Amino acid sequence: MVDSGEKRSWTTGRRGQLTRGLAVYLGVSYALLEVIDIFTDQLGLPDWFFRGVLYLLLFGLPIVVTTALVQGRRRPQLAGEPAGKAAELAAVAAEPAVQPAGAPRPWLTWQKAILGFVFAFAAWGLVTTAYMATRALGIGPVGSLVAAGVLDERERLIVADFENQTNDPWLGRAATEAFRIDLSQSTIVTVVDPTYVGQVLRRMQREPDQGLDVELAREVAIREGVKAVVAGEITRLGSGYVMTAQLVSAQDGQVIAPFRETANDSTEIIAAIDQLSKSLRTRIGESLKSIRANEPLDRVTTSSLEALRKYSQAVRVTELGDDERAIALLEEAVALDTAFAMAFRKLGVTLTNLGRDQERAREALTQAFKHRDRLTERERYLTEGSYYWGVTGENERAIAVYQSLLDDNPDDPWALNNLAILYQDARDFQRAEQLFSRAIEVDSTGTLYYGNVINAQVALGRFDQADYTLSQLVEQAPDHPNIELQASVLASAQFDFDGAEQHATALRESQRAIPQMQLFASFQLGLLAQTRGRLRESERHLREAMAIAEEQGQFGLYIGGAVNLAFNDIWFRGDAAAAVRVLESALARHPLETIAPLDRPYQGLAMFYALVGRPDRARAYLAEYDRTIDPSIRARDDDARELAEGFLALSEGRPDEAIREFRAADEGACTICVLPMLGFAYDQSAQPDSVIAVYERYLNTPFLGRLQAGDWFALGFMYERLGGLYELRGDRAQAIDYYRRFAELWEDADPDLQPRVEAARRAIERLAEES
């Protein structure tokens, strides 16, 4: 019972102080840990920083309890003192209200406890700051190897096979692959692709798929100018495993940095390897924030966890521009789960985008379509859309499918991107640009979308916007290989061939570990040289590209490169016999029957033989195409077939029929591809006004891929021909303008082409005197 003159609250006495103190402390601790967790992720602080804060809070708990017990005592509520919750909240930080006369004041007070916490957390902050500073400056055992100058940013590393000291023969291979996958997610180093290593081994006269121990890895690294290799070992220890990884100098074999992890059993091996990779990435100097940013596995339908891991990694390396690695991972995924529809779909789309292995691409898209019934609704829509677009060519049906998906989920970036591609094929560039831009708004990390929106923006003549989009890609992914690729293509689309050459050269130098990028860079440099009449230089680059295509087993591209090479003789030098010898040599090296049917360049060969005056060979290739390729697939190639028929008509002296065929082929996303030959046909038909109109349309129609579409062989010819046609018209100003463009374009052309340049300069002087 309580006397009427004294009222007690739960805040009075030891129990009250303890209860309130713990409540406030736990609440503040929870809020503090939430804030620290956010800061740890956002600022890239080490994991032990959060753990240290947690330990400090745990160590502080007994201090809070002791302080509460020392400070808590019963006292009467004074007259006029507020009761209830307000008084309770005020009490916890207050000094004891009344001390008995002569009683010693307790040493442990709330004020001192709070100051102790402040000093402890400040000290921990200083320790963390010192760690981050030494790491950033490359000082001491925690210093970043990049900051210390041992490695450069985007340094290439070769991962040697893990040495297997267990009784399981497959464990070493699995550990190597898992480690390579983890390390390839790094934003600061580049893991050299095993395919590229295989090419080097072939040049070393070794088997390309042989085991890569640390000594062989070092030799490969030295040959390719790679500074370091990663060597690993997995050892059985009782029922568990010990895994080590070492960063080793390629030149002298010195261990730069060692790491070690353990696994209690086989189920913990992947986690241990993941930690090994993170430790290495941290030591090299990668941001802890980026290491933590590794995304979870994609949510797609498959019964195999390992297949899902492969698929998820393939999606990520595709975003990093390494399509070769993505294809290899997807092939492994569908081998693990032969009904993995989304992996088949992604494989087919990736191959189609690269324009290679079209037989395999259509097979993969067809396999995905067969298994669509087991998919979620979103996966089914994506699979059906890819099939209708990539296999049957039913673009309208594909549009309807993607639109249905967007009706349910308006923010699906894949559906937005794929629908935009279809509208681009229909030359609705305005709508395509809107959809591509929307995809970037939804998912700014999707690097593929940036290149697509640049394509649409250029088609609309919005070069300033295209430059801005490229700058956005640079900001989003500064080391992405597509930056130099896009920059080179964008420069060539604006007739800035010096800039295009610089970016293509930079791409080749910076992406030596990615064969597909090397292939593109060499082709790009070859076409740029052809455009400017530097034929011998172009032949060197084109042969480099053909060699890469051959090493990659892309024999259809090898033959395509030979066609480009042969054009130097037939188109620029007028030597049909030499052109035929170049192509026949390539076909003897890789006969068509050794190439998958859908990868055989039948139409290109037909066009070439028609151009060199061999219509019989041209018709034979078209007939073989009709016999070999399924009619449902041939429907997708109607444009190419019409182009080939147009070439045939020209070679047989039927220019009016050629005009009809070329005009029929003038559809699809490429707005200028047909125009060079259409203008040539009008010229053969003695229609000079139409020639001028078509060539002017070609030159004034913005198109991102104009170098590949026709500039490489037609631009100089058009300038020269337009100069002559305007001179015949009596339009001296236009004639001078086009002759000058031609002379400037071919200023450094090969000596055997210089007479044409001199003729153009003489024409300029003559016309200038007449005016």
Side-chain angles (χ1 to χ4, degrees):
M1 296 294 293
V2 179
D3 293 339
S4 59
E6 185 181 52
K7 183 179 180 180
R8 290 185 60 193
S9 166
W10 71 275
T11 59
T12 60
R14 286 185 172 88
R15 182 178 298 177
Q17 285 278 346
L18 180 59
T19 305
R20 280 215 70 264
L22 285 176
V24 173
Y25 184 75
L26 293 176
V28 170
S29 297
Y30 176 79
L32 181 62
L33 289 174
E34 287 292 315
V35 172
I36 292 297
D37 187 45
I38 293 173
F39 271 83
T40 300
D41 284 338
Q42 294 301 316
L43 299 181
L45 300 177
D47 291 332
W48 50 257
F49 176 71
F50 180 87
R51 293 196 299 270
V53 172
L54 180 60
Y55 291 149
L56 286 176
L57 292 171
L58 290 175
F59 292 150
L61 185 59
I63 297 176
V64 170
V65 172
T66 303
T67 304
L69 293 175
V70 169
Q71 294 296 315
R73 72 179 184 84
R74 298 184 180 182
R75 68 176 177 84
Q77 183 175 334
L78 301 178
E81 183 180 22
K85 191 69 71 175
E88 295 166 11
L89 293 175
V92 75
E95 293 290 338
V98 179
Q99 294 288 343
R105 185 179 183 86
W107 180 86
L108 189 58
T109 66
W110 285 117
Q111 184 179 24
K112 290 179 179 179
I114 292 171
L115 285 175
F117 279 117
V118 170
F119 285 129
F121 282 110
W124 188 239
L126 287 174
V127 170
T128 305
T129 301
Y131 168 84
M132 297 296 287
T134 55
R135 182 174 182 270
L137 296 174
I139 300 172
V142 300
S144 158
L145 296 176
V146 170
V150 178
L151 298 176
D152 297 325
E153 285 200 29
R154 303 310 302 170
E155 189 77 64
R156 292 181 296 157
L157 297 179
I158 294 176
V159 178
D161 292 343
F162 270 55
E163 187 175 346
N164 185 8
Q165 301 292 344
T166 73
N167 295 326
D168 185 344
W170 296 102
L171 198 53
R173 183 180 302 177
T176 304
E177 182 62 19
F179 187 85
R180 183 182 288 115
I181 289 173
D182 272 2
L183 190 58
S184 67
Q185 298 182 63
S186 172
T187 60
I188 202 168
V189 295
T190 300
V191 177
V192 177
D193 190 276
T195 305
Y196 184 81
V197 173
Q199 296 171 14
V200 179
L201 291 174
R202 188 179 287 111
R203 293 198 298 270
M204 294 167 61
Q205 297 184 338
R206 303 282 193 99
E207 291 298 323
D209 56 352
Q210 77 174 83
L212 189 71
D213 61 28
V214 64
E215 292 304 319
L216 184 57
R218 285 181 54 207
E219 182 177 350
V220 171
I222 292 170
R223 285 171 174 262
E224 297 302 303
V226 177
K227 289 183 182 178
V229 302
V230 181
E233 181 179 278
I234 181 168
T235 306
R236 190 68 182 262
L237 184 63
S239 61
Y241 298 87
V242 175
M243 279 152 291
T244 61
Q246 296 177 332
L247 188 64
V248 178
S249 169
Q251 288 293 337
D252 56 18
Q254 180 180 354
V255 176
I256 300 172
F259 308 94
R260 182 178 184 274
E261 292 291 335
T262 60
N264 292 326
D265 54 45
S266 60
T267 64
E268 296 183 4
I269 288 177
I270 294 298
I273 289 174
D274 181 60
Q275 188 57 48
L276 270 181
S277 169
K278 288 181 178 179
S279 298
L280 174 58
R281 291 163 65 181
T282 301
R283 184 73 168 90
I284 290 172
E286 186 171 353
S287 163
L288 297 174
K289 177 182 176 181
S290 71
I291 293 174
R292 293 193 192 99
N294 294 342
E295 299 179 18
L297 300 180
D298 290 73
R299 297 176 179 176
V300 291
T301 304
T302 175
S303 59
S304 169
L305 176 59
E306 188 58 30
L308 180 59
R309 291 183 189 276
K310 303 283 187 184
Y311 172 86
S312 300
Q313 182 61 19
V315 172
R316 292 181 179 85
V317 299
T318 298
E319 291 297 339
L320 295 174
D322 193 351
D323 291 316
E324 290 294 329
R325 184 70 184 133
I327 291 169
L329 287 165
L330 290 167
E331 290 285 13
E332 293 175 20
V334 297
L336 290 166
D337 179 2
T338 56
F340 195 170
M342 288 298 284
F344 275 119
R345 190 204 74 87
K346 187 66 175 176
L347 175 61
V349 169
T350 303
L351 289 171
T352 300
N353 289 342
L354 290 175
R356 52 169 281 197
D357 296 336
Q358 293 306 290
E359 188 94 4
R360 178 58 174 148
R362 286 177 170 83
E363 177 188 341
L365 291 174
T366 301
Q367 284 295 319
F369 189 74
K370 286 181 179 178
H371 296 292
R372 68 190 184 281
D373 292 340
R374 66 196 296 265
L375 303 177
T376 65
E377 186 174 60
R378 175 181 183 267
E379 294 173 71
R380 179 171 55 80
Y381 278 136
L382 290 171
T383 298
E384 290 176 350
S386 298
Y387 177 78
Y388 296 139
W389 166 70
V391 177
T392 64
E394 299 174 90
N395 284 12
E396 291 298 326
R397 197 169 180 181
I399 287 174
V401 168
Y402 288 129
Q403 191 59 63
S404 296
L405 175 53
L406 289 172
D407 289 342
D408 293 337
N409 184 2
D411 292 337
D412 191 299
W414 287 16
L416 289 166
N417 179 78
N418 295 354
L419 183 59
I421 290 173
L422 290 162
Y423 281 124
Q424 193 165 255
D425 283 346
R427 299 190 178 180
D428 188 346
F429 299 110
Q430 184 71 42
R431 190 178 300 185
E433 193 270 343
Q434 293 171 354
L435 290 168
F436 285 136
S437 297
R438 177 64 183 148
I440 291 176
E441 290 176 11
V442 172
D443 179 14
S444 61
T445 65
T447 54
L448 180 67
Y449 311 144
Y450 293 87
N452 288 341
V453 76
I454 288 172
N455 202 334
Q457 288 167 340
V458 169
L460 292 168
R462 301 171 183 169
F463 285 101
D464 288 344
Q465 290 185 11
D467 287 331
Y468 175 71
T469 300
L470 183 57
S471 71
Q472 285 184 304
L473 177 59
V474 173
E475 183 178 344
Q476 177 65 38
D479 298 314
H480 199 286
N482 276 358
I483 292 172
E484 294 292 357
L485 184 156
Q486 289 291 341
S488 179
V489 174
L490 187 56
S492 63
Q494 299 172 80
F495 304 104
D496 177 10
F497 300 121
D498 285 335
E501 184 176 335
Q502 290 171 5
H503 287 297
T505 301
L507 175 66
R508 184 175 60 181
E509 294 303 315
S510 64
Q511 301 300 325
R512 290 192 176 276
I514 303 180
Q516 195 65 33
M517 290 299 173
Q518 293 290 300
L519 182 65
F520 173 84
S522 294
F523 262 124
Q524 180 83 343
L525 290 168
L527 297 182
L528 286 166
Q530 282 181 305
T531 304
R532 305 167 91 174
R534 304 197 310 235
L535 304 185
R536 286 177 293 187
E537 179 185 335
S538 78
E539 287 163 358
R540 175 168 56 84
H541 291 306
L542 290 173
R543 290 193 184 281
E544 288 172 356
M546 291 167 64
I548 296 171
E550 188 173 46
E551 288 180 350
Q552 293 290 300
Q554 301 179 50
F555 302 130
L557 284 179
Y558 179 90
I559 301 298
V563 171
N564 280 90
L565 203 59
F567 253 73
N568 281 354
D569 290 312
I570 182 59
W571 189 261
F572 295 101
R573 298 180 179 125
D575 189 344
V580 170
R581 286 196 297 272
V582 169
L583 188 55
E584 294 288 348
S585 174
L587 288 170
R589 187 179 181 90
H590 296 292
L592 286 190
E593 56 267 22
T594 65
I595 303 173
L598 289 178
D599 294 322
R600 300 172 189 172
Y602 284 118
Q603 289 93 343
L605 291 170
M607 295 176 203
F608 173 82
Y609 279 106
L611 191 62
V612 298
R614 295 287 305 276
D616 55 328
R617 288 289 300 274
R619 291 193 181 283
Y621 278 120
L622 290 179
E624 184 177 343
Y625 171 78
D626 290 340
R627 290 193 305 271
T628 307
I629 306 302
D630 185 91
S632 64
I633 296 175
R634 292 206 303 266
R636 287 184 50 84
D637 297 329
D638 284 346
D639 296 348
R641 180 57 181 264
E642 288 157 348
L643 271 174
E645 292 290 353
F647 272 82
L648 265 171
L650 274 181
S651 71
E652 294 174 344
R654 297 177 282 112
D656 292 339
E657 186 176 337
I659 291 170
R660 288 194 295 273
E661 294 288 355
F662 290 139
R663 288 175 67 88
D666 188 16
E667 58 182 20
C670 184
T671 52
I672 65 172
C673 287
V674 175
L675 301 183
M677 297 314 301
L678 178 60
F680 192 73
Y682 277 124
D683 221 350
Q684 296 298 305
S685 187
Q687 300 182 55
D689 290 346
S690 295
V691 176
I692 291 175
V694 169
Y695 285 168
E696 292 276 14
R697 177 185 159 196
Y698 176 90
L699 295 173
N700 295 320
T701 300
F703 186 69
L704 186 64
R706 66 175 311 114
L707 178 69
Q708 294 81 5
D711 279 3
W712 65 276
F713 75 94
L715 186 60
F717 171 81
M718 285 184 186
Y719 285 158
E720 186 180 31
R721 184 59 179 146
L722 283 170
L725 290 172
Y726 276 117
E727 183 178 4
L728 290 174
R729 266 190 179 185
D731 189 337
R732 289 192 294 271
Q734 287 280 52
I736 289 173
D737 179 49
Y738 280 111
Y739 279 137
R740 180 176 290 114
R741 293 194 206 184
F742 172 68
E744 290 175 353
L745 182 68
W746 277 22
E747 181 179 8
D748 297 322
D750 285 359
D752 53 337
L753 299 182
Q754 285 298 326
R756 290 167 62 179
V757 179
E758 290 302 320
R761 289 174 177 152
R762 288 195 299 271
I764 293 171
E765 294 174 358
R766 182 180 66 253
L767 291 168
E769 291 172 358
E770 292 176 1
S771 61

